[in-house]
Amino acid sequence: MTDARKLLEEMNERSREVFRRVVEGYLLTGAPVGSRSLTRDMSEKISAATVRNVMQDLEYMGLLDSPHISAGRVPTQSGLRMFVDGLLEVGDLQSADRALMDSTMSSNSTDVAGVLDRIGQTLSGVTQGASLVLAPKHEAPIKHIEFVSLGHDRALVVLVFGDGHVENRIFTPPPGQTPSSMREAANFLNSLVEGRTLSDVQTVIASQINARRQEIDQLAHAMIESGLAVWAGEGEGPERLIVRGRSHLLNASTDEVDLERIRTLFDDLERKRDIANFLELTDEGEGVRIFIGSENKLFSLSGSSLVVSPYMNADRKIVGAVGVIGPTRLNYGRIVPIVDYTAQLVGKLIADRS
C-alpha cells in the first residue's frame, strides 16, 4: 500500500487525472475506457494521442490493462487498490439509503435472527450486491450442558442458556467414549460454566482442566477438550453467516468469465466453510475495510471485492461483521458509508438486546 501511495505522489497532474478518470469510468460502466472519451472530459485540452501515451505509461507501471487490442484500458487490481487508498472520495450516506436501512429496525420483535435477515435483504437491495451478515454467538449465560451419544463416531453437545435458548452441536467425540465418561465430562463442565457466557468459559475451562487434572479420567478429559474445540469454532454453525442477494451478482456479470467467477463465489458462499475467517478480516479494529480481488482470502478465486465492517456489543467487543460482496467495479464511494452505517445499526441492535 505504501509503494502505491508513493507512486501516486510521484505521478504528475496529467497522469493522475487520466488514471482517475479511467478508474471512475470503469467503475461506472464496467467497460474499458478509451482515449477519445477521455479527451472530452480532461481539465486541459490535450489530444487523444497524448492521452494514449499517458495510458501506455500507466499500463507499463502495472496500474492499467488493455483487455483487447486497440481497446480502451481498465484498472488492474493494483490500480484499483491505489485508487481506493489514494483517490477514492467517500460520500456522505444518502438520506434515501439511510431511510431504507432505518426501516429494518422498526419492528419490536425479539427475534434477532429475523431482524438480521431483514437487514441483510435490505442491504443487498440498497447496494445491488450480495450482503453478508455474520451474527454474533449467543451470549446469554449458560445454564446447563449435556453430551448425548449418537453413535461410535458422532455425539451431540446440548447447551441450554439462562434465557431459554438451546443450541445443539454435532461433533466427533474421541475414540472409546462411554456413557459414564460423557456424564463425568458434563458434570465437570456444569460445575464451572453455570452463569458464564460462551466467551467466558473457554479460558476458565482451559485453566481448570490443568489445575484439576486429577479429578477427571482420561476419557472425560478428552471429551471436554473436544467440546472446547467445538466452542472455539470448529463446529461453528453455518447459520451464523446470513447471505442475501446472490441474484444481483448474476445481473452484474458482463461475460462468460464473469459468470464463471460468480459460480465460484456461489460455491464458496454455499459451503460457508470459512465463516470464522470472515470476522478475522476485521481484526484490525473499527472501521470499514476494502478487499479487492485476491486480497480477499475468502473469495479470492472469484476475483470479487468485499467491503466489510465489524460491529460491537454493549461491552465494545467485536462480535460480528457486515459486508457487501460484488464485482471489483463496485461503487466504493457509495457503498462504504452504507456498510459503515449498517454495522452501527447492527451493533446498536445487539447492544440493546443484550
Side-chain angles (χ1 to χ4, degrees):
M1 312 298 182
T2 304
D3 292 342
R5 288 197 179 106
K6 183 179 178 181
L7 187 61
L8 188 62
E9 291 171 1
E10 292 174 350
M11 292 163 58
N12 60 35
E13 286 296 326
R14 177 182 292 172
S15 296
R16 267 199 297 269
E17 183 177 2
V18 169
F19 172 69
R20 178 176 59 80
R21 291 189 181 279
V22 169
V23 177
E24 289 176 345
Y26 170 74
L27 294 180
L28 182 64
T29 67
V33 178
S35 56
R36 291 192 180 279
S37 64
L38 287 182
T39 57
R40 294 193 294 268
D41 300 322
M42 292 289 292
S43 57
E44 60 174 326
K45 294 298 182 182
I46 55 176
S47 67
T50 301
V51 172
R52 280 196 295 274
N53 289 334
V54 174
M55 293 168 76
Q56 287 173 355
D57 291 340
L58 293 170
E59 186 173 354
Y60 178 77
M61 295 162 67
L63 301 177
L64 299 183
D65 190 19
S66 180
H68 308 289
I69 297 175
S70 301
R73 303 305 199 280
V74 298
T76 62
Q77 179 176 310
S78 298
L80 278 174
R81 171 47 63 188
M82 191 169 82
F83 175 82
V84 165
D85 287 346
L87 294 174
L88 177 65
E89 296 181 3
V90 176
D92 294 328
L93 182 66
Q94 297 177 15
S95 56
D97 294 336
R98 181 191 296 269
L100 283 169
M101 296 315 304
D102 285 344
S103 69
T104 63
M105 308 293 287
S106 60
S107 171
N108 293 322
S109 171
T110 57
D111 177 18
V112 173
V115 178
L116 292 179
D117 183 79
R118 190 162 63 247
I119 288 172
Q121 292 276 19
T122 305
L123 179 60
S124 170
V126 168
T127 61
Q128 291 297 290
S131 68
L132 309 175
V133 179
L134 182 64
K137 291 182 178 179
H138 200 76
E139 285 296 291
I142 298 170
K143 183 178 180 181
H144 184 73
I145 291 176
E146 192 71 44
F147 290 111
V148 179
S149 176
L150 300 177
H152 72 281
D153 61 348
R154 295 174 75 227
L156 187 71
V157 57
V158 182
L159 294 91
V160 181
F161 295 86
D163 61 357
H165 179 77
V166 178
E167 286 189 17
N168 302 319
R169 304 189 189 183
I170 296 175
F171 68 103
T172 302
Q177 285 297 324
T178 65
S180 61
S181 64
M182 286 189 169
R183 282 195 301 273
E184 184 178 354
N187 290 338
F188 178 81
L189 290 172
N190 283 319
S191 69
L192 299 175
V193 304
E194 186 174 2
R196 291 187 167 101
T197 66
L198 277 175
S199 298
D200 298 332
V201 299
Q202 287 176 235
T203 303
V204 172
I205 293 173
S207 63
Q208 287 296 311
I209 283 180
N210 291 325
R212 298 165 59 182
R213 189 175 294 273
Q214 301 303 318
E215 296 181 28
I216 53 176
D217 67 22
Q218 190 171 351
L219 281 176
H221 179 275
M223 192 70 181
I224 291 168
E225 289 192 332
S226 294
L228 279 175
V230 173
W231 297 324
E234 293 177 15
E236 201 77 80
E239 67 278 357
R240 279 191 69 202
L241 186 63
I242 303 168
V243 182
R244 295 293 177 266
R246 293 175 176 84
S247 61
H248 294 313
L249 299 180
L250 289 173
N251 294 338
S253 62
T254 57
D255 54 35
E256 188 57 39
V257 175
D258 270 355
L259 284 173
E260 189 57 39
R261 288 177 173 175
I262 296 304
R263 292 187 191 105
T264 301
L265 176 60
F266 280 7
D267 289 341
D268 287 343
L269 294 176
E270 283 297 329
R271 284 192 291 268
K272 301 178 184 177
R273 293 170 303 182
D274 301 311
I275 64 170
N277 292 335
F278 181 58
L279 191 55
E280 288 177 13
L281 296 178
T282 66
D283 61 6
E284 293 186 5
E286 288 186 77
V288 179
R289 299 188 68 193
I290 299 172
F291 296 88
I292 300 171
S294 61
E295 297 172 353
N296 178 353
K297 62 183 179 180
L298 294 188
F299 312 115
S300 59
L301 293 179
S302 68
S304 304
S305 284
L306 173 68
V307 181
V308 60
S309 177
Y311 62 85
M312 299 183 178
N313 61 11
D315 298 323
R316 303 296 295 167
K317 177 183 176 183
I318 293 176
V319 293
V322 173
V324 170
I325 191 167
T328 54
R329 61 180 186 86
L330 284 173
N331 185 344
Y332 299 100
R334 175 172 173 260
I335 288 177
V336 165
I338 295 174
V339 169
D340 183 43
Y341 185 68
T342 303
Q344 294 176 40
L345 283 181
V346 176
K348 185 177 186 303
L349 169 72
I350 300 303
D352 290 346
R353 297 294 197 278
S354 62

